[in-house]
Structures are given as C-alpha cells and as structure tokens.
Amino acid sequence: MRLRKVADRAVRGVFLANAILSAVVLLGILAFLLFYGVRTFSGTPLLKFLFGTVWNPDAYGEPSYGLLPLLLGSFASTAIALLIAIPLGIASAVFISERLKGWVRVTVKTLVELFAGFPSVVIGFFGLVVLAPLIARIFNVPSGLNLLNAGLLLGLMSLPTIISVADDALRVVPHSYREAAYALGATPWTTATRIVLPAARSGILAAVMLGFGRAVGETMAVLMVAGNAALMPKSLFDPIRTITSTIAIELGESAFGDTHFYSLFALGFVLFLLALATNLIAESLIKREKRSFTL
Amino acid sequence: MPESKITVEKLNLWFGENHVLKDVSFSIPPNAVTAIMGPSGCGKSTLLRTVNRMNDLILGTRVTGDIRIDGQSIFADTTDVIDLRKRVGMVFQKPNPFPKSILENVAFGPRIHRMGNHADIQQRVEQALRHANLWDEVKDRLHDNAFSLSGGQQQRLCTARCLSVEPEIVLLDEPASALDPHSTARLEELIRQLKQDYTVVIVTHNMQQAARVSDWCAFLMLGELVEFGRTENIFTKPKDRRTEDFLTGKFG
C-alpha cells in the first residue's frame, strides 16, 4: 500500500518534470527570440520595421528593415497555396473517406501520409526543374521563379496534411448519420456534402489550420522557387521573398551583434505571432462550434 | 394469406461466407403492423434492412430470391434504390438524429427530394412532427439542436424525419431498445397509429412488444422463418414447437 503510493507519486513527479521541461524550453526559445529581436529597434525604429516597404539590410549607407514585403510574400504565397489546397484537399478527403473501401483506401491513405513526410528540398527541386520552366513557357514570362510557383508548390505541400487530417475528421463522423441519410433516399454525394461534412466541421477546420501552418512555415522549397527578391509583389509573376526564407538566407551573412542580425530574430518573432494568432483563431472557432453543438 | 404489400419470396442472403437468411418466404399486408421477432442473431434486422436495400452498403453481400413491393421487384434493374428508400422509410435501433436543429432534421428529406418550396417544406415538417406525436413538445423550440431532446423524443423525431418524405412503408429496427418504459409506451402508441396510413414492419426481440403492437407476426430463428401468422394465433396457439419454446421463455 505504501509502496504503491510512493510509486504513484514518483510517476506523477516524472510526468510533471517532463511537462515543466518542455514548457521551459519553449518559453526559453520565445524569450530568446524576444530578447534578441527587440535589439533591432535600437538600430531602426519599430514603426519603420512594421510598415517599411523596403527590406534591404545590405544597402550602403542607410540599410532598411521593412517587414511588409516579406510579410506580404509569406501571405500571398500561403493564400495561393490554400486557395488550391483547401478545396482540393477536402474534396480528396471526402472521396477517400466516403467512396474508397478496404485495401484501396488503406493504400491511398498511406501514400498520402507518405507524401506528407516528403523532404521539402526534393519538392523544391521539382519546382525548380519542372514547374519553373513550365510556368515561364505557359505564361510567357522571363522567369518561372515567382509567386505563382511558390504558391503552387506550397499548395502541393500542404495538400497531404489537409487530406490526411480531414479524412480522419470525416471517418469519426458516426456511421449512423450516414445510414439515416441513405435511408431517406439521399445519394452518397448529398450525404457527404450535407450531413458528413457539416458534422466534421471542427476537424476540417483543424485540417485547414494545419495546412496553413505547413505553408507559412515552409522554408526550403519556397526559397528554391520564389525568386527571393524582397520586393512588394504586384503580380503572380513577380518574385517574392518569404519571412522564413529571409531568415534562412541572411542569418549566415549577417554579423553577430549587428542590427541586421537582430532583425532576423524580430522576423522570427513575427512568425511566432502569426502562428499564435492562427492557433487562437482556430481554437475559438472550434470552441464556438462546440458550443452551438451542445446548445 | 392476406392481401400483400411486401412479398418476400425464397430470400437467401449471405454476408461473405455467412448464410444469414435461408429461404425466407412470407407476405406483409398493407396498413397493418407486422412484427418480426426472434432471438439475437437470427437475421431479423438483416431481413428488415433488405427491404430498403440498406445491406447494399455492406461489402460482400449476396442475395438470391426476391422481395416485391406492390408486385415490383426491389432488385430489378428498373428499380431506383433512391426512389425505393424514399418509399420505404426506416427508424433505427438507436435514435440517430443529425447534429442539426429539430427543424433541419425533419426538413432534410423533403429538401433533398425537392418536395416543394420553403413554405411547403415548413408545412411538411409540421405535419410529420404532428404525425409522430412530437409537435406539441417541440413547436416552440424548432431551432434547438436535436440532441437537446430526450432519447424518446429523439426516436420520435427520427420517426418524423422518416415520415417527412411520405413513405408507403415504415421499417422500425428495434426502435425502443434504447428507451425507458415510459418512452417505449409512447412510441408503441405511435406505432399503432401509423398503420392507418402506412404499412409498418417492426423488428423486435421483445415478444411482449410484438404482442402489444402487431397484427401479424413472423418468428425467425437462425435465419429461417419458423412461423408467420396473425399475432393472436402465434401467441395463443403456435404451430411450431420452437415458437412455443421461444414464447414460453425456454430460450431467447
């Protein structure tokens, strides 16, 4: 009896320690980002960072650290990616969960999940070698390394995530809903769109959010195909530079202790805020969803 | 033999290698309640779900023999399964309302079958809910989530949903098995009312329930139809020894 109590306490201690450790590490990273990031603003004013439209830390004389072109680059490429990946991903998930059966379903699902773990360099290489010349030829533009290419590639990369998570969400919708719909004479299509999809809303939303996270956080593939000119994009065929690529490209060339160096941490912090905001929005949407469900 | 709405003829059904229904033949009369009873696993639910071809959804199902509704085979190439299921409604064992409002639950069927405009559908919803003895309880809360209803109310809601597309036949698959005695009594009252307008087939393993609600009774065992006849005859003078044993509680 005593021994069991001691063991119980010990196990609890181990779990608590682990929880605290992971929280400390995460908070540490955050503090580190913030700590280094704020030093940017001793070299350049905060407002100029937030609303500046030029990112040119290497400019002779007066370097500028304007966040907007990078933020816009990240947003525009992610928007294009999601525009493609959300409808396509949800449609594929519906097809896999509602129409495929047995080993076919298992095989397709496994392949999708395999693709979700594909190294991003390889996908970037595909964009560079296959997609870029194709875009250049089809749209008759000088270079295929641009916003469109980055968006397409990011869409391709977030697609398996969205499909896989959305499929899981659809699968947990009770079979009894489908039976009820079929028994009323609903077609499989009507059942999927009017009953199963709405019932899986919160899970679908989670899938979309994960897809968004994948697209916004992707560095390597996008760096390889985006053209990387830190300009405000005006059309689909302009090169863009995302926040993540900027950090990856410039961290090596900036001098430690320089404003340039610190500004990259500020970028990292912006990225963190972006992720935090989407998570909070997603969570509140899901919560609202749950409330209306139990009402 | 009575006048026949549904004729089951030499029906055999397999799930893979499993021979679930064996040479079942009988006729279900119109505007009456026919109960299919029998011990667990005798194939009574499977038989019921063959009538609206819900077993089509199960992989590896094979059927021989025939079921005819008004003389028309439900397995014929000319039979549209969507149309069949509209004509043959079903209420399931566990109440399974959609995660939507009470109104949306009942309006779903009429909407997908395009049974009129907005006002028509509202009318149908009210009519179906009245028919299912639920209207007075929910008329002030039609936009509440269906899950806020009690189990018994949910089952009557599912009945209303089934009636909303104006079926000719209503199949009930142990509809009271998840309900308390009071809710069961109300549902049974509803079932007895339904036969005025519909042909009702109810599956139950509860013989008292079969005795209370049905006019005709089929007794099924191990996939075989043991006996079929007027409920009062089955219960008072069963012809088959197995029926008698079941009714006297020797097994089941």
Side-chain angles (χ1 to χ4, degrees), chain A residues 134-158:
Chain A
L134 216 61
I135 290 174
R137 184 144 8 115
I138 291 173
F139 296 100
N140 198 18
V141 286
S143 165
L145 300 176
N146 51 28
L147 173 58
L148 181 66
N149 195 336
L152 286 175
L153 222 52
L154 285 178
L156 193 67
M157 294 180 76
S158 42

Side-chain angles (χ1 to χ4, degrees), chain A residues 8 61 63 67 97 136 203 289:
Chain A
D8 188 45
L67 171 68
S97 115
E289 182 60 36

